[in-house]
Amino acid sequence: MSAKIPVKNIDPSSKNDAEVTTYDLYASREKIYVKAVTGVFQRIRTGSLWLLMGMYFVFCWVSINGEQLIYFDIPGRKFHLFGATFWPQDFVLLSWLLIICAFGLFFITSLFGRVWCGYTCPQTVWTFIFMWVEEKVEGSRNKRMKLDKAPNDASKTFKKVLKHSIWLLIAFATGLTFVGYFYPIRELIVDFFSFNFIGGWAYFWILFFTAATYANAGWLREQVCLYMCPYARFQSVMFDKDTMVVSYDPNRGEPRGSRKKSVDPKQTGLGDCVDCGLCVQVCPTGIDIRDGLQYECIGCALCIDACDQVMEKMNYPKGLIRYDNENTLEGKESHMVRPKSVGYGLVLLFMISSVIYAVYSRVPVALDVIKDRGALYQLTGMGLVENSYTLKVINMANTEREFEVRVSGIEGIKITTTTRFTANSGEVHSLPTSIEIDPANMTETKHDIEFEVIAVDDPTVKATSDSRFLAPLNY
Amino acid sequence: MSSFWNAWIIIISLGSVFGCWWLLFATRKGQKNNTESEATTGHVYDGIEEYDNPLPKWWFYMFMGTIFFALAYYALYPGLGSYKGLLGWTSTGQWEQEVADADAKYGPIFEAFAEKSIEELATDDAALKVGQRLFANNCAICHGSTARGSVGFPNLADNDWLYGGDPDTIKQTIAHGRNGNMPAKGLNPAMTKSDIADLTNYLLSFSNRATDNASSERGAEMFQTACSACHGADAKGTPAMGAPNLTDNVWLYGSTPTMIMQTIEYGRAGVMPAHNDLLGEEKVHVLAAYIYSLSQGK
């Protein structure tokens, strides 16, 4: 690889006191004017952008069996995902899904660097939308720079107001849609405009996400990637010399310099880089990729698109800046398959299959047994020992179901209360239950017993729960 | 709260807030505002020196914000000893508000139930579900979640009632409670141990458990003078006064001879607390329907 990125050494003691006495640790942001560029990678991103935005804005409107495709019902403590209903008891699945997402990110990162950042990260997606609006309203990079320097007049004010209005509109749509995943979206739209909410929380969150989108995509942009995003901080541990990243080929490009198109670079002793600076102008984080891999690089590949255009114009082969790995750039052998990627891949595969198994084998019924605390046991008129319990049966299926409860653990154990009942979808059915035992079958004062609840229409839908039966001593 | 503890709390609370204020400003002294000086604090470790720079402004404002928040909180809410706070907030007041909100929310449901008779409600699934919850929360601790009772707490799921099992009597029992009283040795305080054994044999004879027929006959005579005033000449009980039927197999305090003898010798006092003030008329109505439904169909 080329020489390391020069370190900026700031040493206060080396400074001449007369020259500079103070300096600012908190550098204010320099505005980056991103030049629009088209190309293969920008087209890929436009595709992924349409796909992701489409999913985001459409999914909450699609219904399956009267339920939103994705709906997090926080007050009801139920998550509706693609027609399935998940309960708080299923939260372990959610944590597994998050772990899988994290490992998927590590796996992809070890192979292809920050492709997540470049093509799918919401920060990138919304920033690109906002930049597109900026380009349409205020014009190209040069026009925008000129406009910002120009004095305020009617035309400038109009453009600025228009831009921020469109930004706010997009942000508002984003906020409204986001809340629509937690509040039925059709009711949300009606309630929002008719001021019909109970309490102000829906308003608060809509405004919060509107403001957050506007600030993040309109103002903060690359600063989120540089200063706030934790992924930028630890992604380097997943990189190695075989990771495909956006790279500048210094062996081919250096020494850089401008030249006429007619001049053969070999005769002038120059490399292929014409030093046009386009790769810097198009970079949304404002870095120079020719300095080598930097943590600010979000892998968006805009510099590749820009450089390829120039190479085409110069009739040089494309790919002076390209997705490549450090080993290849140094002329060494590179390996796509290596212990790290295989390890990540295997772990990922194992976790995905376990979660699929867990989801598939999930039983939509749960049983909790609460033993009566007031009286440990009762004695019936017939001289039998009786214990009382409250069974909580949760029907997690989407339909009403008839269930039967059974009990086992002691010879002759018998439920004397109702054993068959019907529970609605999503109901926590509370069933007071008494069981009776002939004391002749009791060998101890306490016995472990097991309750079982079974769906009448489908015997595979069943749940069990342990409890205890108590009897008086020496009875 | 005594005035000493009152002052103690106020001094600690306000002292902490103003202590933070003092610390914030005391550490600013001597530092040039908004500039990074090259002066160091003099702390050196491993060759690393610590700059003596002012707190970043946004930190400073955040600390100021928390101090103002604390002061405003102390002014509005009760936090300074016995001071009530400008908003007049109390935990009792909040509880009352929550009860009022719940009544406003669920009141209509109970009003609709109140319009129906107990017999009607006993066949209404929605009412029974509500009744079951009320029972689990208010009655199950004594009578058990299945209402089967326990020693000293009657079984409500059978057809045997101390005071009568018609809907209105059940409602009366829940609303106003009952005080059951079995006097020690009934109306004959001169009763001896052997008299008690005779009486017990007489009572056991109804379920063919008597051990000595002669004793049982002596017990029958004793019963007429000592017990019949309440339990009736035939020992079938008097629901109007809550005197139980002694000829069946239901024994509130245990059916063994020992337990029966103990009941006769020392008496019993059972208390069912009144629930009208706790739950209100409408909930008692639904509860009565639930309990009435338990004894139906058996």
Side-chain angles (χ1 to χ4, degrees), chain B residues 76-78 84-90 93:
Chain B
L76 294 174
Y77 289 96
K84 296 273 189 293
L86 293 174
L87 291 182
W89 182 92
T90 62

Side-chain angles (χ1 to χ4, degrees), chain A residues 12 17 20-26 372-375 377-378 381 386 388-390 416-417 422 424 427-434, chain B residues 32 35-38 51 53-54 56 58 129 132-133 136 140-151 155 249-250 255-256 290:
Chain A
D17 276 0
V20 175
T21 49
T22 62
Y23 58 91
D24 202 353
L25 276 178
Y26 312 100
D372 267 20
R373 293 179 180 87
Y377 55 83
Q378 299 101 272
E386 192 177 66
S388 292
Y389 306 81
T390 303
T416 55
T417 45
T422 307
N424 294 328
E427 184 189 346
V428 181
H429 191 92
S430 166
L431 185 75
T433 302
S434 281
Chain B
K32 263 184 260 166
T35 51
E36 320 289 335
S37 76
E38 283 165 30
Y51 283 126
N53 282 331
W58 65 278
K129 261 191 180 162
Q132 193 197 74
R133 299 245 160 87
I141 194 69
C142 292
H143 293 283
S145 58
T146 51
R148 303 285 180 106
S150 183
V151 176
N155 181 347
N249 248 331
V250 179
S255 63
T256 60
Y290 174 71

Side-chain angles (χ1 to χ4, degrees), chain B residues 7-31:
Chain B
W8 174 263
I9 290 171
I10 292 172
I11 287 166
I12 288 184
S13 309
L14 290 182
S16 310
V17 173
F18 288 113
C20 290
W21 177 285
W22 172 82
L23 192 68
L24 195 59
F25 280 88
T27 50
R28 267 165 80 87
K29 249 185 207 167
Q31 289 177 328

